[in-house]
Amino acid sequence: MRFYWLSAAGHLSMMCLAVGCQAATVPSAPSAPVEVAATVTPSPVAVSPLYTTLDEFGQPQFQVDGRKLFRDRPLPSHRISTAPMKLLQVLRSTRQYFQDFSDTDPITQREGILAIKGVTLPQVLDTLDFMIATLTEDISRKRPIRLQDPAFINRYFRVIQWLPHNPRNPKQTEELRLTKYAVFTHRGSRTRTETYTTALYALPPRVPDQPEELFYKQLTKQQVLGGIFEPGGSLYGRVKPLAYLTRQGLEDALMQGTILVQFTDGTEAFFNVDRNNGIPFLKGVDPYEQQRYWYFRQVSSLKGYGSTIENKINTQPEVTFAGDIWNIGLGRVIVVEDTQGGQPQLRLGVIADTGGAFMPNLYQLDFLAGIFPNRATYQAAARRIPNYVRAYILIKK
C-alpha cells in the first residue's frame, strides 16, 4: 500500500508501507570509458524552505518559511513538571495508534513542517519508544523520573524551539498561545424535559462494506437545533438521542469535544465527538451561531485524536496537548516553559488530540486541564496556567 502526502516543500511525496515497494536499482558501471564532448558539473539542487500548510480536508492554505519557525536550543534548567503515570499511558496509546493505523490513516505518515529541520517519521516514533521505555523502567524501579531532568533531556534529545507563525498577529514571535480545554460535568436526562431540551445525537453505526449514509452532511447546526430529529421533525428516527442537556451543556460538549453527563437517574457516562457535518468551524464567530455540528458516541474514558470513534487515543489531563496534527504532527512530544507566578517551570506532554482551531494553526496549543464540575472551578485552575509560553519539541538523538 502507498500513501501520498505533501512534503515539506509542498510537493507530493510517497512512502511504501507494505510489500510491493522495491529499492531503486543502481545501474552497473560501463565496461569501458565513454567519451563525452564536455564535462558538465551539475548545480546543487536547492531544497525549498517553503512549506504549504494543509487544512483538515487536505486542502492547501498558505505557505510559510519553515526556517523561521524552529531553532535548536537547549532546554532551560527548570524542573520539568509532569504526571509520569498519565504521561506513560498517553505515550503508549499514541504509539499504539501509529502501529495499528499507519496503513489506514495518512495523518500517521505526515512529517509536516518539521521535515524542513530534518525530522523524519522514524525519529518521531523512536522518540515515543525511548520515552515509553525510560518511563517504564523508572516507574517500575521506583526511582527518580529521568524525563523530569532537563540535563537528561538535553543529553538524549534534540530540543527544537517552536517559534509561532500567526498571520493575524505578526508581533507574536517568541511565545505560543496556550489555550486550555476541559471536560465539563453537566446534569442531563435520558428523555427530553422542560429543563433538558437539547440533545446529543448519535449517528447510525457504520455497516461494513456498505456506503455510509450521508444525510447528516446536508444539515447545519441550526437545523439540528430546530428539531429536525425530534418527534414531528422530517428526519425523526434517523439518529439516536444519547442525552438531553441544557443549551449551555451542548455548547460545552461541542467546544470541548467530550462531556461527562450525570443523569437524573443517578448514572453517568462520557460522550465524545464522533462525526461532523463537514462544515468548517469559523474563527471569530459566536459558538451559538456556528454551522458546524458534531454527533457523539458514548465512550469509556477521555479520548483524543482518531480517524474513527472506535480507535481514538486515550488521553489524560496534565499531559495532553491538542494541536495542529496536519502540519506540526501527531505524537510530537512538547515541553512548554511556564514563567507565570515567579517560579519558572516546564510542562511535558504529547500532541494526542486536535480540534477545530487547528486547521491550520502554527501558533497555538490547547492544554487538557482536567475534568471540572463547573466553569468556576475550571477558570480557577486555568488562571494558574499562562496564556503564552515558550514551546519546545523533543526528538530523540
Side-chain angles (χ1 to χ4, degrees):
M1 172 124 6
R2 292 173 171 85
F3 278 102
Y4 294 84
W5 72 94
L6 285 175
S7 69
H11 305 298
L12 282 175
S13 300
M14 181 182 76
M15 174 170 282
C16 300
L17 298 179
V19 176
C21 297
Q22 299 179 354
T25 301
V26 180
S28 300
S31 55
V34 178
E35 294 185 1
V36 294
T39 302
V40 179
T41 303
S43 300
V45 178
V47 177
S48 172
L50 293 180
Y51 173 84
T52 301
T53 60
L54 299 183
D55 65 13
E56 64 175 327
F57 306 110
Q59 298 302 308
Q61 295 300 301
F62 58 85
Q63 284 193 324
V64 60
D65 187 341
R67 297 171 301 182
K68 297 180 179 179
L69 269 69
F70 304 102
R71 62 187 176 197
D72 289 79
R73 173 169 290 188
L75 205 61
S77 59
H78 318 313
R79 180 72 174 169
I80 299 174
S81 173
T82 194
M85 280 301 302
K86 291 181 179 180
L87 179 61
L88 180 59
Q89 291 168 15
V90 177
L91 287 168
R92 283 175 171 170
S93 186
T94 303
R95 184 64 178 89
Q96 192 68 44
Y97 188 88
F98 277 93
Q99 178 174 320
D100 293 345
F101 303 107
S102 62
D103 59 345
T104 58
D105 185 357
I107 283 291
T108 62
Q109 296 300 329
R110 285 194 56 77
E111 291 180 337
I113 194 171
L114 284 167
I116 290 174
K117 292 293 289 183
V119 176
T120 66
L121 182 61
Q123 290 175 333
V124 172
L125 300 182
D126 189 36
T127 301
L128 296 176
D129 290 337
F130 181 78
M131 290 195 132
I132 290 168
T134 302
L135 275 172
T136 300
E137 184 177 350
D138 290 349
I139 292 172
S140 64
R141 296 186 178 184
K142 298 181 180 180
R143 67 186 189 189
I145 303 300
R146 286 171 287 174
L147 294 182
Q148 292 184 276
D149 180 1
F152 180 86
I153 297 294
N154 286 326
R155 179 179 178 183
Y156 289 98
F157 293 87
R158 179 184 178 189
V159 181
I160 305 173
Q161 185 179 358
W162 173 3
L163 303 172
H165 173 78
N166 187 351
R168 295 185 176 185
N169 181 14
K171 294 182 179 180
Q172 185 185 343
T173 58
E174 285 287 329
E175 296 183 320
L176 262 64
R177 184 183 179 198
L178 185 66
T179 50
K180 279 72 70 175
Y181 72 114
V183 175
F184 287 109
T185 301
H186 279 276
R187 296 282 293 171
S189 173
R190 302 280 183 183
T191 59
R192 187 170 183 167
T193 69
E194 290 186 2
T195 301
Y196 306 113
T197 59
T198 310
L200 296 182
Y201 293 114
L203 291 169
R206 294 184 177 95
V207 179
D209 303 322
Q210 291 189 18
E212 181 187 11
E213 295 184 87
L214 298 177
F215 64 92
Y216 67 95
K217 295 280 189 178
Q218 303 168 12
L219 303 174
T220 68
K221 175 182 177 180
Q222 307 309 324
Q223 287 175 298
V224 174
L225 295 181
I228 199 169
F229 293 129
E230 292 298 310
S234 61
L235 294 179
Y236 175 63
R238 297 298 300 274
V239 300
K240 176 185 177 181
L242 297 170
Y244 285 89
L245 309 169
T246 63
R247 176 62 187 275
Q248 183 59 56
L250 171 73
E251 294 298 336
D252 282 346
L254 293 174
M255 183 62 66
Q256 308 301 332
T258 305
I259 187 171
L260 176 60
V261 178
Q262 295 177 331
F263 289 102
T264 54
D265 62 8
T267 60
E268 65 179 28
F270 285 107
F271 298 95
N272 186 256
V273 290
D274 177 14
R275 287 168 275 173
N276 65 59
N277 58 2
I279 299 175
F281 181 88
L282 299 178
K283 296 177 183 178
V285 175
D286 187 287
Y288 276 60
E289 303 302 322
Q290 294 283 343
Q291 298 302 317
R292 184 182 182 90
Y293 184 79
W294 282 93
Y295 298 83
F296 284 73
R297 287 274 292 275
Q298 184 171 338
V299 293
S300 59
S301 61
L302 301 185
K303 298 292 182 178
Y305 171 76
S307 60
T308 70
I309 187 69
E310 292 83 8
N311 65 22
K312 289 191 173 186
I313 295 169
N314 294 323
T315 61
Q316 291 283 352
E318 304 176 70
V319 295
T320 300
F321 293 102
D324 186 345
I325 61 172
W326 296 274
N327 301 291
I328 297 299
L330 180 68
R332 277 45 172 184
V333 176
I334 302 291
V335 176
V336 296
E337 184 180 358
D338 174 358
T339 57
Q340 182 170 293
Q343 186 65 34
Q345 67 171 332
L346 301 169
R347 298 176 188 269
L348 174 61
V350 59
I351 298 180
D353 201 357
T354 190
F358 302 102
M359 303 180 295
N361 185 327
L362 301 177
Y363 59 86
Q364 180 180 351
L365 285 168
D366 210 2
F367 180 68
L368 179 54
I371 301 173
F372 299 94
N374 50 55
R375 286 190 168 273
T377 55
Y378 160 71
Q379 290 168 353
R383 282 194 291 269
R384 296 193 291 269
I385 304 171
N387 295 324
Y388 288 89
V389 294
R390 291 179 184 266
Y392 306 86
I393 298 171
L394 305 185
I395 300 294
K396 176 69 172 63
K397 290 181 179 177

